[in-house]
Amino acid sequence: MRRAVAVRLSALLAAGALTAAAGVALSTTTASAATGGVTGYATQNGGTTGGAGGQTVRATTGTAIHQALCSRASSSTPITIQVEGTINHGNTTKVSGSSCNTAADRIELKQISNVTIVGVGNGAVFDQLGIHIREAANIVIQNVTVRNVKKSGSPTSNGGDAIGMESDVRNVWVDHVTLEASGGESEGYDGLFDMKDNTQYVTLSYSVLRNSGRGGLIGSSESDRSNGYVTFHHNLYENIDSRAPLLRGGIAHMYNNHYKRLNESGINSRAGARAKVDNNYFEDSKDVLGTFYTSEAGYWQVGGNVFDNVTWSSRSGDHNPAGPNPTSNTSVSIPYDFTLDGANCVPSVVAQTAGAGKGLKVSDGSCTPQSPDPTDPGPTDPGEPTDPGPTDPPAGANLSLGAGADGSSKASGTSYGNVIDGNTSTYWSPSGSTGSVSVKWGSATTVSKAGIRLAAGSGTIGAYRLLNHDTGAVLASGSGAGTVSFSPASLKKITLEITNASGTPRIAEFETYAN
């Protein structure tokens, strides 16, 4: 019989639900989300920027968070939602709209993309209310606390998961958050950080997970092996019974984490999973690495870890710990750059950086916490002359001429059609600094180059993506104007998505070419 978690949070269920109205307020300040600091697997597959470059709003209720999502021009329009106060069942309702799909018993990030949720001011606490990410991409959650989310008892939310991801989720960065429960499954709680049903390219960094029966899982069953490419670094797992995490299939990278009081088991690699376990500090724990509760083996590559007062059980049946002297039984290639802190200083570094309310401090590998830049990186010289675009267009016909055009955001007095008329004195501008414009054809057309021309007086494009609108695939990304080449793609619609800009861009022409 599994033990219930002994330690309870010292303060539960903060009193006084906020009664603010459900609206959102425009904020003149920049969110403190350091989106440029994304690390790990969330940097892959085109990267994770969240709502960078989009509108910033402030919310003090769950309803206001949903309203901000539903007020966007489209489900992919970038937005940063600054959250302050206690978010709970009493101030969270379902909001409807064409750019959202919300629910009343959780914070619902469903069928959307390009969103940042960041705690500001005196902090953001999601009390007994989980965050659910489903069929979504490019999501950042930063500097918030999620506590006491239950799957049984009252009230219930999100299947008992503090943060849960499922069904074709891509590119999520969860950073400097605190995820807490007050017991295990018998007390009504489930996982703190769960991923299943084809969730990939996720990073959990500088976060605290504590006082729960289950830390989290990657894959809901032995057959759910479509998940993976997950990084866990500089996190504190404290007073967790098991699943720190449970990994079924896929690849995960765990480095510079502090594991303290893992009561029954820790990193559970099974069902063909491969875990790279670097420079972690395991303390006062039991069976911190291995394959547990299954006969389907998983694998690990270990190096530089410290095992401080760790006990190991004997191997028997479906219980196969890696210790007492863990050695590698696979190798894992990591595609991104990372710098390791020495394992001996991990407890100190993690104590100073991990969790909400720590000022988003990070480590640079020197064992000394650093304070990141408080804003997203922008143009290095916003006062430099505007790039007018390519002076010599690529050879061949501009396929945009005679095509159609539409988009997701349009400033008054401008037109989507102005980007395909061959006239550089007319232009399209988004209603703000970010938005998207598309060129479309009646039948599939092969495109391998695009030209972005800016009109006089234009703001500077800090970052953009070119998307195959038919599939959602990122064809290319960059900044400024000019010509960009990519692998030939047969498509009916190509989208220029501006995600960051200084001033308001004026796109005179969005040219497309076959070669």
Side-chain angles (χ1 to χ4, degrees):
M1 180 177 179
R2 300 185 62 193
R3 292 182 292 164
V5 177
V7 175
R8 295 294 183 261
L9 297 177
S10 59
L12 301 178
L13 307 179
L18 295 178
T19 57
V24 295
L26 291 178
S27 172
T28 58
T29 61
T30 302
S32 57
T35 346
V38 62
T39 52
Y41 273 114
T43 65
Q44 305 299 290
N45 190 45
T48 305
T49 57
Q55 185 183 41
T56 297
V57 302
R58 188 175 288 253
T60 58
T61 68
T63 302
I65 295 172
H66 286 159
Q67 185 64 57
L69 297 172
C70 296
S71 297
R72 296 185 295 165
S74 76
S75 61
S76 62
T77 301
I79 189 170
T80 293
I81 305 172
Q82 298 178 335
V83 182
E84 185 175 17
T86 301
I87 310 301
N88 56 30
H89 286 265
N91 61 36
T92 301
T93 57
K94 175 181 174 66
V95 178
S96 298
S98 60
S99 61
C100 64
N101 189 343
T102 69
D105 62 344
R106 71 198 73 177
I107 298 301
E108 186 77 276
L109 307 180
K110 182 178 180 180
Q111 298 168 343
I112 62 173
S113 60
N114 308 327
V115 173
T116 292
I117 294 177
V118 55
V120 297
N122 293 321
V125 176
F126 295 82
D127 187 22
Q128 299 184 285
L129 199 76
I131 298 175
H132 185 226
I133 304 171
R134 183 183 180 97
E135 299 169 69
N138 196 23
I139 306 295
V140 174
I141 299 174
Q142 202 168 38
N143 200 39
V144 303
T145 294
V146 186
R147 68 187 185 195
N148 293 329
V149 180
K150 285 191 169 185
K151 66 176 181 179
S152 62
S154 180
T156 60
S157 174
N158 203 30
D161 296 337
I163 295 179
M165 291 159 270
E166 64 178 314
S167 299
D168 304 321
V169 173
R170 292 291 185 275
N171 290 87
V172 176
W173 181 33
V174 178
D175 177 67
H176 285 90
V177 304
T178 298
L179 308 178
E180 301 175 321
S182 293
E185 189 174 20
S186 61
E187 286 83 18
Y189 304 97
D190 197 9
L192 294 176
F193 194 71
D194 280 10
M195 291 157 275
K196 55 189 178 183
D197 192 16
N198 197 23
T199 293
Q200 298 180 2
Y201 302 105
V202 176
T203 295
L204 176 67
S205 55
Y206 299 102
S207 295
V208 172
L209 299 87
R210 63 160 65 103
N211 301 338
S212 176
R214 296 169 172 175
L217 58 77
I218 305 171
S220 60
S221 68
E222 306 298 76
S223 61
D224 182 14
R225 304 189 186 190
S226 58
N227 311 279
Y229 307 116
V230 182
T231 302
F232 303 83
H233 74 88
H234 292 93
N235 304 300
L236 170 64
Y237 284 79
E238 183 177 19
N239 194 32
I240 303 290
D241 281 351
S242 63
R243 301 187 181 183
L246 163 59
L247 175 63
R248 292 173 166 123
I251 293 174
H253 186 198
M254 298 84 169
Y255 71 90
N256 286 154
N257 300 292
H258 185 196
Y259 300 92
K260 188 175 183 180
R261 284 185 294 139
L262 304 182
N263 300 318
E264 296 179 10
S265 61
I267 300 170
N268 185 353
S269 180
R270 55 199 266 189
R274 293 189 295 149
K276 183 170 172 61
V277 185
D278 293 324
N279 286 35
N280 302 282
Y281 196 101
F282 299 91
E283 182 179 5
D284 298 338
S285 297
K286 177 183 178 182
D287 290 342
V288 298
L289 173 66
T291 296
F292 308 107
Y293 320 119
T294 183
S295 60
E296 297 191 43
Y299 308 95
W300 44 83
Q301 179 181 351
V302 294
N305 302 288
V306 170
F307 301 93
D308 179 2
N309 192 32
V310 171
T311 59
W312 300 91
S313 302
S314 300
R315 297 185 180 185
S316 63
D318 62 1
H319 192 84
N320 290 282
N325 297 300
T327 58
S328 301
N329 56 18
T330 190
S331 62
V332 181
S333 177
I334 300 300
Y336 51 82
D337 294 331
F338 62 99
T339 303
L340 293 171
D341 284 304
N344 282 319
C345 72
V346 163
S348 174
V349 169
V350 169
Q352 297 175 74
T353 58
K358 293 293 183 68
L360 301 182
K361 289 183 178 180
V362 298
S363 176
D364 62 359
S366 66
C367 290
T368 303
Q370 310 290 319
S371 295
D373 293 335
T375 58
D376 297 326
T380 55
D381 183 5
E384 66 188 11
T386 298
D387 183 348
T391 55
D392 295 315
N398 174 11
L399 302 174
S400 299
L401 299 177
D406 59 22
S408 68
S409 174
K410 180 175 62 174
S412 176
T414 72
S415 170
Y416 300 123
N418 287 341
V419 304
I420 58 172
D421 63 1
N423 182 354
T424 56
S425 65
T426 63
Y427 58 88
W428 160 81
S429 284
S431 56
S433 60
T434 64
S436 65
V437 63
S438 301
V439 177
K440 57 185 180 180
W441 298 271
S443 57
T445 301
T446 299
V447 179
S448 64
K449 288 186 179 180
I452 304 168
R453 291 178 177 265
L454 300 182
S458 173
T460 302
I461 301 175
Y464 71 82
R465 301 193 304 172
L466 289 178
L467 306 175
N468 180 336
H469 196 90
D470 303 348
T471 65
V474 178
L475 302 173
S477 59
S479 61
T483 302
V484 60
S485 300
F486 44 86
S487 298
S490 179
L491 43 78
K492 291 186 177 181
K493 187 173 179 178
I494 184 172
T495 297
L496 167 64
E497 181 182 63
I498 299 171
T499 59
N500 182 279
S502 175
T504 300
R506 296 180 176 181
I507 309 300
E509 293 297 301
F510 179 18
E511 302 170 342
T512 52
Y513 298 89
N515 51 53

